[in-house]
Amino acid sequence: MEKERETLQAWKERVGHELDRVMAFWLEHSHDPEHGGFFTCLGRDGRVYDDLKYVWLQGRQVWMYCRLYRKLERFHRPELLDAAKAGGEFLLRSARVAPPAKKCAFVLTRDGRPVKVQRTIFSECFYTMAMNELWRVTGEARYQSEAVEMMDQIVRWVREDPSGLGRPQLPGAVALESMAVPMMLLSLVEQLSEEDEELAGRYARLGDWCAQRILQHVQRDGQAVLENVSENGEELSGCLGRHQNPGHALEAGWFLLRHSTRRGDPKLRAHVIDKFLLLPFRSGWDPDHGGLFYFQDADGLCPTQLEWAMKLWWPHSEAMIAFLMGYSESGDPALLRLFYQVAEYTFHQFRDPEHGEWFGYLNREGKVALTIKGGPFKGCFHVPRCLAMCEEMLSALLSRLA
Amino acid sequence: MEKERETLQAWKERVGHELDRVMAFWLEHSHDPEHGGFFTCLGRDGRVYDDLKYVWLQGRQVWMYCRLYRKLERFHRPELLDAAKAGGEFLLRSARVAPPAKKCAFVLTRDGRPVKVQRTIFSECFYTMAMNELWRVTGEARYQSEAVEMMDQIVRWVREDPSGLGRPQLPGAVALESMAVPMMLLSLVEQLSEEDEELAGRYARLGDWCAQRILQHVQRDGQAVLENVSENGEELSGCLGRHQNPGHALEAGWFLLRHSTRRGDPKLRAHVIDKFLLLPFRSGWDPDHGGLFYFQDADGLCPTQLEWAMKLWWPHSEAMIAFLMGYSESGDPALLRLFYQVAEYTFHQFRDPEHGEWFGYLNREGKVALTIKGGPFKGCFHVPRCLAMCEEMLSALLSRLA
């Protein structure tokens, strides 16, 4: 019991300290004082190697700053609030390609001109997350209007009419659902519903729908989580249908754990632990070198993505959250052991003790393959979110033990 | 001299024998007897793991079969002609998304329904290559009509009005030229011009324009070949502007060598050898593990592509052609030595002595990273084209020595 307490305490300090280091990296290197928003293309030592601004990452960083500002006292500092507001204003000014239409760009120039549009909902989703957090920290209603209006547009695209996204309808293209979409939407429901009875009520059914859609990705009689299923919730053929993303399954797992807690549904929780935590970990963890494969094929065939066997930072941050949350919710010590296993690997392989933050991309054997600390897809989000959540969960576990 | 002759002879036999093995693999595993066209998603042992048909690869395989059928006596066999014709008919029936409009799909279902369209010209280009070759082997004028009409559409898209490609014009997107476009067009000019005075005349200026555009990719005072330049032939900023593809530079190199031979321009030839063969090889060849990096950054920064340090099959096949051709044209023995260096590495690392054909994708250290023999981008094209061209060039060199 004392040993257990010591280990939990050690990890609480470790993640807390790492959170400080990681945030220091972004605070030091990423702010654009001229235009607002953030440089995410940062090299090993934090130097900016490209000034393009990726909209998912802008929204995510605003969200992260606001969240830390209001939830952790040591981050309740003006520099985070100011940068978050400047980032929010940058998004308000520039994210939408053709305002008042809601479609946002995928990537913008440093000064906010659209470079590329992706025909998915994710820029808009992270925009929404950012706006809602800005409202929570500033109290300014205009941010919340932005958040709710964008949410409504996203819901229309997903549930009513995706034609506004501009995707062509081709005769050979199968109507599919990628797990990322209900995951993202569930994430938004949770964000907007936090301490907001009205919105929680408004989005309750949507949240249930999202959870049901995610659960449909458990296929083959409960033996595999598949990233893509048909609109009717059935397995698809080909590489597309067999495609697996263990990190995504684990992330979906903790989204669903939160949902099952909100719904007070222990049966769902047990199912989620089984199918979204243990199952993907068993098939996704590399027995030879450790770490989670980025992609897999449900039939054990070779995936066609060149990067399939690489070990990426975010599946590991999500696995840490998932296992610690699973343990917190269920009390099953096996899950705590898995948390330690993943956390040890992750800290050992991804952390950069010299320059701070984490490498994002390792090769199969766990060696650093790209020295960048941020890029088009890696920003100030997964790592701090994981560390902050783990710090909170470890604190709670320690309180329980005391 | 005798040693040199023996080495050339040994390599001629080696590439010829390998060409037979490689073609046997595709002949055995890839034909779709029901719909025509080819399965390119073949696993290590040739088994089909996905029946989607990628249009570039359909066109390329038809082209390859026809070319071997008419140029190499041992491939003048009905099975190649029949499969090429069936593949051609499949393309005629299915490649165009909305006939009579010319736009072709990127990928089709097995039975020919469009799944995805890419807003580039490459499906149409390989369609054109295939149709012209089919005309050459069958004498049927309808194939040539198809080829010339598609060529005209491609030229209009590239030289007059790209709006038909459907790419959005965004304020922050810089007007750029990727080297692949003039390369592909030059390739088409050469294909259509072969033993055709009329078309050679019609496309001569276009060919010169393509060559000039490719040459503009030599930047930084002759110190780097950049994959993307502005429409005015200047370096662009950011990762995009610094992006390098050594294999592409080498491939462009041999395209330009052929062009310089056609134009009888030894000065151009020397420039091409210097800038498109030696320069990219010097910076692109991995000094630690051998092999050509897939991508690089001209400032030596870390590229953002996860697969940048992988060793892919086609840069090596193109390097083999380029060096052997450079040696054939110039007589510089340093180029022959480079051919041997690349060929030894390539045969050793990529060949699969057990199941035939070549692995496509190795990790940085040269170990097989994907066991597939074909996929969305690897088909019956680069390897046989390289082996057939090297066999021909080695024969010619041996004749010269005799």
Side-chain angles (χ1 to χ4, degrees):
Chain A
M1 177 71 81
E2 179 58 21
K3 179 85 173 90
E4 187 186 341
R5 198 198 65 74
E6 273 173 20
T7 316
L8 288 168
Q9 178 65 29
W11 266 106
K12 175 176 169 283
E13 283 164 22
R14 209 169 166 188
V15 300
H17 182 63
E18 187 63 15
L19 177 59
D20 295 343
R21 286 185 85 239
V22 163
M23 289 312 296
F25 184 92
W26 293 99
L27 286 162
E28 180 182 350
H29 297 296
S30 74
H31 298 184
D32 181 355
E34 204 180 317
H35 298 280
F38 306 98
F39 300 120
T40 64
C41 291
L42 305 177
R44 180 174 189 178
D45 59 1
R47 249 179 291 191
V48 179
Y49 63 82
D50 198 312
D51 64 5
L52 287 176
K53 287 175 177 160
Y54 291 84
V55 175
W56 300 9
L57 306 187
Q58 303 303 306
R60 283 169 161 175
Q61 192 156 353
V62 170
W63 178 87
M64 194 72 250
Y65 275 28
C66 290
R67 207 147 173 96
L68 290 174
Y69 178 83
R70 66 183 181 93
K71 293 213 173 228
L72 280 174
E73 207 183 306
R74 67 191 193 275
F75 292 108
H76 196 79
R77 297 172 352 226
E79 61 173 329
L80 276 97
L81 181 63
D82 293 343
K85 282 161 68 176
E89 292 303 318
F90 176 78
L91 281 171
L92 277 166
R93 268 194 325 271
S94 306
R96 274 159 300 196
V97 185
K102 293 288 186 210
K103 193 78 195 79
C104 293
F106 175 72
V107 55
L108 304 161
T109 57
R110 178 184 177 180
D111 61 354
R113 288 166 293 131
V115 176
K116 189 175 134 93
V117 177
Q118 213 187 49
R119 296 181 286 193
T120 61
I121 59 166
F122 305 116
S123 289
E124 294 80 8
C125 287
F126 293 115
Y127 179 100
T128 303
M129 304 274 281
M131 291 298 145
N132 180 258
E133 275 294 327
L134 278 167
W135 172 66
R136 290 173 187 276
V137 300
T138 65
E140 289 178 49
R142 63 189 177 104
Y143 291 128
Q144 182 66 338
S145 305
E146 285 291 330
V148 174
E149 284 177 33
M150 187 61 85
M151 177 66 167
D152 288 347
Q153 172 67 83
I154 293 164
V155 174
R156 278 197 299 275
W157 279 331
V158 174
R159 305 282 325 258
E160 291 174 33
D161 179 12
S163 63
L165 291 172
R167 284 189 221 122
Q169 300 289 328
L170 292 164
V174 84
L176 68 81
E177 178 190 84
S178 111
M179 195 166 70
V181 173
M183 278 174 71
M184 192 70 240
L185 216 43
L186 182 59
S187 193
L188 287 180
V189 166
E190 184 184 347
Q191 173 68 35
L192 293 170
S193 300
E194 180 191 332
E195 288 174 18
D196 190 326
E197 227 179 281
E198 194 213 323
L199 289 191
R202 190 192 304 185
Y203 295 127
R205 284 181 65 191
L206 177 63
D208 289 336
W209 178 87
C210 291
Q212 282 315 304
R213 297 303 291 197
I214 296 169
L215 289 165
Q216 279 192 332
H217 286 261
V218 180
Q219 290 282 329
R220 300 192 172 189
D221 214 34
Q223 292 314 300
V225 178
L226 303 180
E227 194 64 15
N228 303 301
V229 294
S230 75
E231 276 184 345
N232 299 326
E234 284 162 352
E235 182 169 340
L236 298 162
S237 67
C239 295
L240 186 74
R242 300 189 303 267
H243 183 61
Q244 296 182 293
N245 184 328
H248 231 198
L250 284 150
E251 187 182 16
W254 74 256
F255 286 14
L256 287 173
L257 281 179
R258 300 260 276 222
H259 179 79
S260 71
T261 297
R262 282 194 300 276
R263 288 284 172 270
D265 190 343
K267 249 185 100 188
L268 175 60
R269 184 179 74 210
H271 177 75
V272 168
I273 287 172
D274 201 29
K275 303 302 180 188
F276 287 86
L277 271 58
L278 297 174
L279 182 66
F281 183 80
R282 258 197 309 271
S283 52
W285 189 262
D286 182 346
D288 300 316
H289 304 286
L292 288 161
F293 291 113
Y294 188 19
F295 299 131
Q296 285 185 298
D297 177 294
D299 280 355
L301 300 178
C302 182
T304 58
Q305 294 88 355
L306 276 60
E307 65 273 28
W308 77 269
M310 290 177 77
K311 311 293 166 62
L312 271 62
W313 86 105
W314 70 261
H316 297 84
S317 65
E318 301 314 293
M320 282 174 63
I321 296 171
F323 286 122
L324 195 53
M325 191 182 290
Y327 173 65
S328 300
E329 295 289 316
S330 69
D332 181 351
L335 295 170
L336 183 62
R337 284 193 298 273
L338 286 168
F339 165 75
Y340 289 139
Q341 178 181 347
V342 177
E344 285 293 352
Y345 174 88
T346 303
F347 268 56
H348 187 258
Q349 302 299 129
F350 288 98
R351 272 186 86 242
D352 181 1
E354 195 181 343
H355 292 287
E357 240 286 350
W358 294 7
F359 297 108
Y361 306 90
L362 314 178
N363 70 6
R364 183 176 186 157
E365 292 75 17
K367 185 173 148 229
V368 174
L370 274 70
T371 54
I372 59 175
K373 295 293 172 56
F377 294 100
K378 183 177 187 290
C380 179
F381 179 66
H382 289 99
V383 180
R385 176 174 76 169
C386 162
L387 297 170
M389 289 181 72
C390 289
E391 185 183 318
E392 187 183 10
M393 286 188 280
L394 288 161
S395 287
L397 287 166
L398 283 159
S399 298
R400 256 192 253 169
L401 276 186
Chain B
M1 177 70 82
E2 180 56 23
K3 181 87 173 85
E4 186 187 342
R5 198 200 64 76
E6 273 173 18
T7 316
L8 288 169
Q9 179 64 28
W11 266 106
K12 174 175 171 286
E13 283 164 23
R14 209 168 164 189
V15 300
H17 181 63
E18 187 63 14
L19 177 59
D20 295 345
R21 290 184 83 238
V22 163
M23 290 311 296
F25 185 92
W26 293 99
L27 286 161
E28 179 181 350
H29 297 297
S30 74
H31 298 186
D32 182 355
E34 203 179 319
H35 299 280
F38 306 96
F39 300 119
T40 63
C41 290
L42 304 177
R44 179 174 190 180
D45 58 1
R47 251 179 291 192
V48 179
Y49 63 82
D50 199 312
D51 64 6
L52 288 175
K53 287 174 176 162
Y54 292 84
V55 174
W56 300 9
L57 306 187
Q58 303 303 307
R60 282 169 163 177
Q61 192 156 353
V62 170
W63 177 88
M64 195 71 250
Y65 275 28
C66 290
R67 206 148 174 95
L68 289 174
Y69 178 84
R70 66 182 180 92
K71 295 215 173 227
L72 279 173
E73 207 183 305
R74 68 190 191 276
F75 292 108
H76 196 79
R77 297 172 352 226
E79 60 173 329
L80 276 96
L81 181 63
D82 293 343
K85 283 161 68 177
E89 292 304 316
F90 176 78
L91 282 170
L92 277 166
R93 272 196 320 273
S94 306
R96 274 160 300 196
V97 185
K102 293 288 187 210
K103 193 79 194 81
C104 293
F106 174 72
V107 55
L108 304 161
T109 56
R110 178 184 178 180
D111 61 355
R113 289 166 294 128
V115 176
K116 190 175 132 95
V117 177
Q118 213 188 49
R119 296 182 285 195
T120 61
I121 59 166
F122 305 116
S123 288
E124 294 80 8
C125 287
F126 293 115
Y127 179 100
T128 303
M129 303 276 282
M131 291 297 144
N132 182 256
E133 275 293 327
L134 278 167
W135 172 66
R136 290 174 188 276
V137 300
T138 64
E140 288 177 50
R142 61 189 179 103
Y143 291 127
Q144 181 68 338
S145 306
E146 286 289 331
V148 174
E149 284 178 33
M150 187 61 85
M151 177 67 167
D152 288 347
Q153 173 66 83
I154 293 164
V155 174
R156 277 196 299 275
W157 280 331
V158 174
R159 305 283 325 259
E160 291 173 33
D161 179 13
S163 63
L165 291 173
R167 286 188 219 123
Q169 300 290 323
L170 292 166
V174 86
L176 68 83
E177 178 190 83
S178 111
M179 196 167 68
V181 172
M183 278 174 71
M184 193 70 238
L185 216 45
L186 183 59
S187 193
L188 287 180
V189 166
E190 185 185 347
Q191 174 68 34
L192 294 170
S193 300
E194 181 193 330
E195 288 175 16
D196 190 327
E197 227 178 283
E198 194 212 325
L199 290 191
R202 190 191 305 185
Y203 296 126
R205 284 181 63 193
L206 176 63
D208 288 335
W209 178 87
C210 291
Q212 283 314 306
R213 300 302 292 197
I214 297 170
L215 288 165
Q216 280 191 329
H217 286 260
V218 180
Q219 291 282 327
R220 302 191 172 189
D221 214 36
Q223 291 315 300
V225 178
L226 303 180
E227 193 65 15
N228 303 300
V229 294
S230 75
E231 276 185 344
N232 301 324
E234 284 161 351
E235 182 168 341
L236 298 162
S237 67
C239 294
L240 186 75
R242 298 190 303 268
H243 183 62
Q244 294 183 293
N245 185 328
H248 231 199
L250 284 151
E251 187 182 16
W254 73 255
F255 286 14
L256 288 173
L257 282 180
R258 299 259 275 222
H259 180 78
S260 70
T261 297
R262 281 195 300 276
R263 289 285 173 271
D265 188 343
K267 249 185 100 190
L268 175 61
R269 184 178 74 209
H271 176 75
V272 168
I273 287 171
D274 200 31
K275 302 303 181 187
F276 287 87
L277 270 58
L278 297 174
L279 182 65
F281 184 80
R282 258 198 308 273
S283 52
W285 189 261
D286 182 347
D288 299 315
H289 304 287
L292 287 161
F293 291 113
Y294 188 20
F295 299 130
Q296 285 185 299
D297 177 294
D299 280 353
L301 300 177
C302 182
T304 58
Q305 293 87 356
L306 274 60
E307 66 273 29
W308 76 269
M310 290 177 78
K311 311 294 167 62
L312 270 64
W313 86 105
W314 69 263
H316 297 83
S317 65
E318 302 314 293
M320 283 175 62
I321 296 171
F323 286 123
L324 196 53
M325 190 182 289
Y327 173 66
S328 300
E329 296 289 315
S330 70
D332 180 353
L335 296 170
L336 184 62
R337 285 194 297 274
L338 286 168
F339 165 76
Y340 289 140
Q341 179 183 347
V342 176
E344 284 293 352
Y345 173 88
T346 304
F347 268 57
H348 188 258
Q349 302 299 128
F350 289 98
R351 272 185 87 243
D352 181 0
E354 195 182 342
H355 293 287
E357 240 285 352
W358 295 6
F359 298 107
Y361 307 90
L362 314 178
N363 70 6
R364 183 174 187 160
E365 292 76 17
K367 186 172 146 231
V368 173
L370 273 71
T371 54
I372 58 175
K373 294 293 172 57
F377 294 100
K378 184 178 187 291
C380 178
F381 179 66
H382 290 98
V383 180
R385 177 174 76 170
C386 163
L387 297 171
M389 288 181 73
C390 289
E391 185 181 318
E392 187 184 9
M393 286 189 279
L394 288 161
S395 288
L397 287 166
L398 283 159
S399 299
R400 256 192 253 170
L401 275 186

